[in-house]
Amino acid sequence: DIQMTQSPSSLSASVGDRVTITCQASHDISKYLYWYQQKAGKAPNLLIYDASNLETGVPSRFSGSGSGTDFTFTISSLQPEDIATYYCQQSDTLPYTFGQGTKLEIK
Amino acid sequence: EVQLVESGGALVQPGGSLRLSCAASGFTFSSYAMSWVRQAPGKGLEWVSAVIGSGVSTYYADSVKGRFTISRDNSKNTLYLQMNSLSAEDTAVYYCVKGLRLWGRGTLVTVSS
């Protein structure tokens, strides 16, 4: 199975800060990486697909980059409504494994 | 509006069985692979199983292989997950997912005596 190592596991930042989360795959997954946002008590919501494509309706402050084994997710200017846990998931090879998640809090 | 609605979650005893359903609407159900993903209380996400649009090919996580069966009825726009030999480790919210992009709200399965 492909292991997805996501870091950090938690993050505290101020409104307006630039926030970065990384995800590293144990094998080359090309561009096949998704980023999700999960708010407390809710289902995950897709933000980024194929590493860098913004899902329809997602604010442009969210972005993704990377290919192969190293990927980055960025919030350019943190907003209060961005409080959530963020997950990466590889969709290159079954089983479609997830990162451990990053819990984002506002300072 | 595209919608996925899971049902069938319940409290079940260890060793028991349960069948989850996911009713899909707002899209051509048979054209999409569908997955089940679960989340144990306070834990991360775990992909469980997937089935292609025709239903011919199915895939499972090692943790459920041989115990869970995914299926679909394209005439009813419904996805299923038959879960047998349940244990406490299967306690989770189970999400139905369309092509890894759209998630239902989930249904809670609790395995406990």
Side-chain angles (χ1 to χ4, degrees):
Chain A
D1 297 1
I2 295 177
Q3 307 303 315
M4 304 301 294
T5 303
Q6 187 176 338
S7 63
S9 57
S10 64
L11 178 57
S12 181
S14 300
V15 172
D17 281 356
R18 183 180 183 88
V19 170
T20 299
I21 298 168
T22 64
C23 194
Q24 184 171 57
S26 60
H27 297 82
D28 188 336
I29 59 169
S30 184
K31 64 178 181 178
Y32 299 111
L33 187 90
Y34 287 64
W35 288 99
Y36 299 96
Q37 176 192 65
Q38 186 179 32
K39 296 186 177 181
K42 302 293 186 182
N45 181 47
L46 178 66
L47 301 178
I48 303 287
Y49 65 95
D50 291 349
S52 61
N53 293 290
L54 196 66
E55 179 72 336
T56 302
V58 174
S60 60
R61 64 180 180 275
F62 297 102
S63 65
S65 64
S67 65
T69 60
D70 295 300
F71 301 86
T72 301
F73 171 80
T74 300
I75 306 174
S76 60
S77 179
L78 187 65
Q79 300 302 303
E81 60 266 31
D82 298 336
I83 295 174
T85 301
Y86 294 82
Y87 293 93
C88 62
Q89 182 194 24
Q90 63 86 15
S91 61
D92 179 71
T93 304
L94 288 164
Y96 294 147
T97 41
F98 290 88
Q100 305 93 317
T102 297
K103 186 173 184 179
L104 179 57
E105 299 174 333
I106 303 289
K107 277 183 185 175
Chain B
E1 178 192 6
V2 178
Q3 198 169 11
L4 299 170
V5 180
E6 302 94 336
S7 61
L11 171 64
V12 61
Q13 292 192 337
S17 298
L18 206 58
R19 189 176 84 156
L20 306 183
S21 299
C22 171
S25 59
F27 64 100
T28 305
F29 181 67
S30 60
S31 295
Y32 290 88
M34 298 292 295
S35 294
W36 289 99
V37 175
R38 69 184 179 182
Q39 186 171 36
K43 302 296 184 182
L45 300 167
E46 179 187 17
W47 176 85
V48 171
S49 183
V51 58
I52 65 171
S54 66
V56 169
S57 296
T58 58
Y59 309 90
Y60 299 94
D62 286 345
S63 58
V64 307
K65 200 173 294 182
R67 300 188 299 121
F68 289 12
T69 302
I70 191 171
S71 62
R72 63 193 298 161
D73 186 336
N74 288 342
S75 69
K76 295 182 178 179
N77 290 346
T78 302
L79 177 72
Y80 302 101
L81 186 67
Q82 177 66 43
M83 304 186 295
N84 299 329
S85 302
L86 287 163
S87 70
E89 288 69 39
D90 298 313
T91 294
V93 174
Y94 285 73
Y95 295 101
C96 167
V97 189
K98 165 184 171 278
L100 298 181
R101 300 178 80 115
L102 178 71
W103 297 55
R105 292 185 176 185
T107 187
L108 176 62
V109 173
T110 303
V111 184
S112 175
S113 55

